Amino acid sequence: MIRVLSCTQPTGNAHLGNYLGAWRNWVKGQGQDTERDNFFGIVDLHALTVTESPGVVGAATVDLAAWYFAVGLDPELSTVFVQSHVPEHSQLAWLMECTLSYGELSRMTQFKDKSAKREGHFISAGLFTYPALMAADILLYDANEVPVGDDQRQHVEITRDAAIRFNHRFGDTLVLPEAVFPPAGARVMDLQDPTSKMSKSSSSDAGIVNLADPPEAIMKKFKRAVTDSDTGPDAVRYDVAAKPGVSSLLDILAAATDSTAERVAGEYTRYGDLKTATGEAIVALLEPVQQRYRELIDDRGELARLLAVGGAKARQVAGTTLRRAYDAIGLLPA
Ligand code: TRP
């Protein structure tokens, strides 16, 4: 049995990068073979590293849960849970904080970037120890595979380092995970800045396609997408280095129509036509997802029920692993 685990932070709006870059691949993976046991978390405690007002994270958690199920995560096939519903995350995180060193955490590029951006503002200790909590997320479930974006590579590496060190100190206890990356083209770029990944921290909303955007807004964003000033019969071609904007549109259109970027490139000569076709393909792709989202977000009882099922399964697995870790250390049993 291969255990698969990945998570999303409930911060900001769900966007096309989440869907095409991650969730759609998770959905494709579930049920495809019965050898895979999938766990997908909503990591609300991670969001606290940058949260300072009440109510925000809880509301974002409900919203993200609705999107998870709307895109097709199936509670029968996957365990979908909220991190704070499983207290073992915080408990194993402490063990991981004592396993990782100050030096290692100081070298994490995400900490360096995020703390630099927050200069002069409050930088929580949690922002610094975040990798220990993420290591706990992964190691609690004995995850073999962790599907993540390239930006999370270093976090999965430090998780492995933590597991290796823990096992060396206390005996073979924790399973070493491996990061798995989405297929080429699954990385969705910002429509206004096609050399940067589409992300919640992007500077302008115009570059981000929110999953909840109405069709007109989606069309407008694609029509205004940044391309380049090439003209001529072969202006529409796939060349990520020389033509990042056009290539990104081709990637998105290919992903939405189950084709390849090279193949769809052959069907267009004008940027305007490519933008319209890509917008229309995404509108069509999102239509049923938005429909299910609207149903679910209006049915809080059903969402709570689904999350309770996942939470119970997650606690069972997590409880066993935490016990194993406590026993390996030789903490006095209660
Ligand atoms: N750090 C991840 C991100 O920002 C989210 C995350 C937290 C995660 N815990 C995880 C991803 C465990 C995979 C596995 O995207």
Side-chain angles (χ1 to χ4, degrees):
M1 181 69 86
I2 295 170
R3 183 63 62 67
V4 180
L5 171 123
S6 197
C7 303
T8 313
Q9 288 194 56
T11 45
N13 294 323
H15 57 75
L16 193 63
N18 296 126
Y19 184 34
L20 295 183
W23 303 341
R24 210 163 71 128
N25 300 314
W26 302 356
V27 171
K28 279 188 191 152
Q30 65 178 2
Q32 237 180 23
D33 67 58
T34 47
E35 290 297 301
R36 283 182 152 65
D37 189 16
N38 303 299
F39 282 70
F40 299 116
I42 297 175
V43 285
D44 53 350
L45 299 177
H46 278 278
L48 300 188
T49 55
V50 293
T51 300
E52 290 161 22
S53 25
V56 179
V57 177
T61 299
V62 175
D63 195 65
L64 183 51
W67 285 116
Y68 264 17
F69 295 119
V71 299
L73 289 185
D74 180 342
E76 300 278 321
L77 301 172
S78 300
T79 303
V80 176
F81 66 94
V82 176
Q83 186 184 33
S84 67
H85 296 178
V86 186
E88 287 82 359
H89 286 257
S90 311
Q91 295 172 293
L92 189 65
W94 176 251
L95 303 191
M96 292 300 109
E97 285 185 45
C98 298
T99 305
L100 292 167
S101 73
Y102 178 81
E104 280 170 312
L105 291 173
S106 307
R107 286 191 292 275
M108 296 303 284
T109 50
Q110 185 173 308
F111 173 71
K112 288 194 265 185
D113 290 350
K114 287 201 174 171
S115 55
K117 274 192 198 141
R118 293 176 76 81
E119 230 200 293
H121 297 274
F122 183 78
I123 298 171
S124 67
L127 197 63
F128 182 68
T129 59
Y130 179 114
L133 180 58
M134 178 156 166
D137 299 339
I138 295 169
L139 298 172
L140 269 181
Y141 298 95
D142 293 334
N144 307 103
E145 294 182 358
V146 184
V148 280
D150 199 51
D151 58 323
Q152 297 296 316
R153 193 182 284 272
Q154 204 184 18
H155 283 145
V156 180
E157 269 312 306
I158 203 172
T159 300
R160 286 176 64 90
D161 294 343
I164 290 168
R165 189 170 304 138
F166 188 97
N167 289 348
H168 182 71
R169 285 181 179 168
F170 303 114
D172 203 9
T173 312
L174 302 170
V175 173
L176 298 193
E178 216 159 294
V180 296
F181 301 100
R187 189 155 176 248
V188 179
M189 310 310 277
D190 187 303
L191 297 183
Q192 290 299 316
D193 175 12
T195 55
S196 303
K197 191 172 146 175
M198 188 180 286
S199 92
K200 296 164 201 184
S201 44
S202 301
S203 47
S204 88
D205 185 63
I208 308 167
V209 178
N210 298 303
L211 296 187
D213 281 345
E216 317 77 65
I218 295 175
M219 291 306 297
K220 196 157 138 191
K221 286 177 180 177
F222 277 105
K223 283 188 181 149
R224 292 185 181 173
V226 167
T227 48
D228 53 52
S229 53
D230 271 5
T231 48
D234 70 340
V236 177
R237 61 177 197 280
Y238 193 69
D239 181 342
V240 177
K243 303 174 69 69
V246 172
S247 302
S248 164
L249 289 171
L250 292 169
D251 273 331
I252 295 171
L253 180 56
T257 55
D258 278 319
S259 183
T260 65
E262 283 79 7
R263 204 178 317 144
V264 292
E267 291 168 24
Y268 301 92
T269 50
R270 288 204 304 253
Y271 290 170
D273 296 338
L274 173 64
K275 290 176 179 182
T276 304
T278 308
E280 284 171 352
I282 291 302
V283 167
L285 183 73
L286 292 184
E287 208 256 337
V289 176
Q290 293 182 335
Q291 173 71 31
R292 281 196 298 275
Y293 168 81
R294 282 192 292 267
E295 286 162 20
L296 280 162
I297 203 72
D298 284 338
D299 192 349
R300 300 296 166 101
E302 174 65 1
L303 277 179
R305 192 189 66 78
L306 293 175
L307 292 175
V309 172
K313 269 165 75 182
R315 274 195 301 279
Q316 204 188 352
V317 176
T320 308
T321 310
L322 183 72
R323 187 72 257 160
R324 222 165 62 219
Y326 277 17
D327 288 347
I329 298 170
L331 296 178
L332 186 66

